Amino acid sequence: MKLASLASCTANVMLVLTLVAVALGASSNEEKVTQFFDGSEIHTNNWAVLVCTSRFWFNYRHMANALSMYRTVKRMGIPDSHIILMLADDMACNPRNAFPAAVYDHPRKTIDLYGDNVEVDYRGYEVTVENFIRLLTGRVAADTPRNKRLLTDDKSNVFIYMTGHGGEDFLKFQDSEEINSYDIADAFKQMWEKQRYREILFMIDTCQANTMYSKFDSPNILSIGSSKKGQNSLSHFHDYDLGVSVIDRFTYYNLEFFESVDSSSKQTMADLIAAYNTSLIQSDPGVRTDLFARDLAKTYLMDFFGAVQNVKLTTEAFPIGKSKSV
């Protein structure tokens, strides 16, 4: 009897230990799954917001700037569903345009930027300071269509490009209103608080552009401007057929660099900035990095421009389905 009782007690102890081990294993696996999917270093999607704020024929180059950047980010991998394109005027249909329904960024006219595959999300008088701020912060009307919404989250890297006429701490919209550096800084702060981005690459091509990011104070923002305080941002390539300049220098030399980049490229933000030649750009581009957590030499361009998803490889198997109750 004593031996049978001892055997029974030992079996019970072994059963309890086994159940505890199973429970601990399940808990450990759940923690691994959570860490795998909730890692803060992961970003899952890229977005681009491209804004031309200028009206009138003589500002043709600003529309060409935005359309050239649009073509480039699409080629590099960001789909139209993740691009918000804002054009304050339609140069393609302007009666002064000697090449109707076309926009070019070079006098050789080898690439029609307007083409058959352009999706303009905000056009003409829709391009306002209010609509731009609402887009960034997500404060849009309930009936706003999907193509006019920036559907980002805390795993999104967002490229924001702006071009137009500006000055110290402001950028003109439609030649009738202005957005200032405080407005954009406040919008970015709201985006961060509402978990609408992981990282932002802010690039602006305008006169005294570097003053436009001087008031930013939200984390994970890398800012690049075309010209320092008191300095103009100059145009490039005058087209005598059209009678206007067709692109700005800063944008042109950025695009020239991007032409060497594809979806498999290992080019970094440091490589882009090192390529800036002030004698060609004829202004002094600025870069603000104090709000950006990563080393630019380890920040790939495709982290902002590519559609390639980050994938984590693991040699461990994770359980699928509900854990067994104990």
Side-chain angles (χ1 to χ4, degrees), residues 125-181:
Y125 289 110
E126 292 180 325
V127 182
T128 64
V129 172
E130 179 181 353
N131 283 344
F132 177 64
I133 296 296
R134 286 184 178 278
L135 172 75
L136 295 182
T137 59
R139 299 176 182 271
V140 296
D143 59 351
T144 301
R146 189 189 186 284
N147 71 303
K148 293 179 183 290
R149 295 173 182 260
L150 185 65
L151 302 175
T152 54
D153 55 35
D154 61 342
K155 305 297 184 186
S156 304
N157 281 2
V158 187
F159 171 53
I160 299 175
Y161 171 84
M162 304 184 76
T163 180
H165 286 292
E168 184 179 348
D169 286 311
F170 74 89
L171 178 69
K172 288 185 178 181
F173 269 66
Q174 304 277 2
D175 209 34
S176 61
E177 60 175 345
E178 299 170 355
I179 190 171
N180 61 50
S181 54

Side-chain angles (χ1 to χ4, degrees), residues 14-52:
M14 293 298 295
L15 177 61
V16 169
L17 291 175
T18 301
L19 292 176
V20 169
V22 169
L24 290 174
S27 175
S28 176
N29 283 333
E30 288 177 1
E31 288 178 4
K32 290 179 181 179
V33 171
T34 300
Q35 292 172 0
F36 180 82
F37 286 107
D38 291 344
S40 60
E41 75 277 9
I42 298 176
H43 92 273
T44 60
N45 57 94
N46 291 333
W47 286 76
V49 179
L50 313 175
V51 187
C52 164

Side-chain angles (χ1 to χ4, degrees), residues 22-311:
V22 169
L24 290 174
S27 175
S28 176
N29 283 333
E30 288 177 1
E31 288 178 4
K32 290 179 181 179
V33 171
T34 300
Q35 292 172 0
F36 180 82
F37 286 107
D38 291 344
S40 60
E41 75 277 9
I42 298 176
H43 92 273
T44 60
N45 57 94
N46 291 333
W47 286 76
V49 179
L50 313 175
V51 187
C52 164
T53 65
S54 296
R55 293 189 67 79
F56 309 122
W57 177 251
F58 54 83
N59 293 318
Y60 181 104
R61 67 188 183 279
H62 295 154
M63 181 173 175
N65 287 346
L67 286 172
S68 297
M69 197 63 72
Y70 170 80
R71 172 185 172 274
T72 295
V73 298
K74 281 186 67 175
R75 180 187 61 78
M76 292 167 72
I78 302 181
D80 260 319
S81 60
H82 283 205
I83 301 173
I84 306 294
L85 179 60
M86 307 179 78
L87 300 179
D89 205 347
D90 192 352
M91 305 306 176
C93 298
N94 192 294
R96 295 186 185 183
N97 192 351
F99 304 91
V103 174
Y104 299 100
D105 63 359
H106 198 286
R108 289 199 296 264
K109 301 179 181 63
T110 54
I111 299 174
D112 177 9
L113 300 173
Y114 214 60
D116 299 324
N117 194 26
V118 174
E119 295 184 14
V120 183
D121 302 294
Y122 289 79
R123 185 191 301 272
Y125 289 110
E126 292 180 325
V127 182
T128 64
V129 172
E130 179 181 353
N131 283 344
F132 177 64
I133 296 296
R134 286 184 178 278
L135 172 75
L136 295 182
T137 59
R139 299 176 182 271
V140 296
D143 59 351
T144 301
R146 189 189 186 284
N147 71 303
K148 293 179 183 290
R149 295 173 182 260
L150 185 65
L151 302 175
T152 54
D153 55 35
D154 61 342
K155 305 297 184 186
S156 304
N157 281 2
V158 187
F159 171 53
I160 299 175
Y161 171 84
M162 304 184 76
T163 180
H165 286 292
E168 184 179 348
D169 286 311
F170 74 89
L171 178 69
K172 288 185 178 181
F173 269 66
Q174 304 277 2
D175 209 34
S176 61
E177 60 175 345
E178 299 170 355
I179 190 171
N180 61 50
S181 54
Y182 292 95
D183 296 328
I184 301 178
D186 181 66
F188 286 170
K189 183 176 292 186
Q190 291 185 54
M191 290 179 72
W192 178 253
E193 290 173 350
K194 297 169 71 174
Q195 298 185 334
R196 289 180 57 80
Y197 76 86
R198 174 179 176 268
E199 293 176 333
I200 288 177
L201 171 58
F202 177 76
M203 181 180 289
I204 183 166
D205 191 349
T206 187
C207 297
Q208 306 188 64
N210 302 350
T211 63
M212 287 299 293
Y213 54 70
S214 61
K215 306 301 185 295
F216 294 175
D217 57 2
S218 301
N220 298 347
I221 301 176
L222 174 61
S223 304
I224 303 176
S226 61
S227 52
K228 65 183 182 181
K229 180 179 177 179
Q231 194 175 55
N232 291 330
S233 185
L234 301 179
S235 62
H236 198 26
F237 292 138
H238 186 83
D239 189 311
Y240 290 94
D241 294 327
L242 297 170
V244 291
S245 296
V246 292
I247 197 168
D248 282 318
R249 286 180 173 271
F250 177 73
T251 295
Y252 174 80
Y253 286 107
N254 273 286
L255 295 170
E256 185 178 65
F257 183 88
F258 289 150
E259 285 301 312
S260 64
V261 178
D262 59 28
S263 60
S264 62
S265 174
K266 297 300 182 183
Q267 297 271 39
T268 67
M269 293 303 307
D271 295 326
L272 171 64
I273 293 164
Y276 290 159
N277 185 331
T278 56
S279 64
L280 294 175
I281 298 173
Q282 296 186 12
S283 62
D284 295 304
V287 182
R288 183 177 175 187
T289 62
D290 60 301
L291 299 173
F292 195 69
R294 292 196 287 156
D295 182 352
L296 298 192
K298 298 178 181 178
T299 304
Y300 296 117
L301 288 173
M302 301 313 292
D303 288 350
F304 286 96
F305 296 99
V308 179
Q309 303 291 320
N310 279 342
V311 177

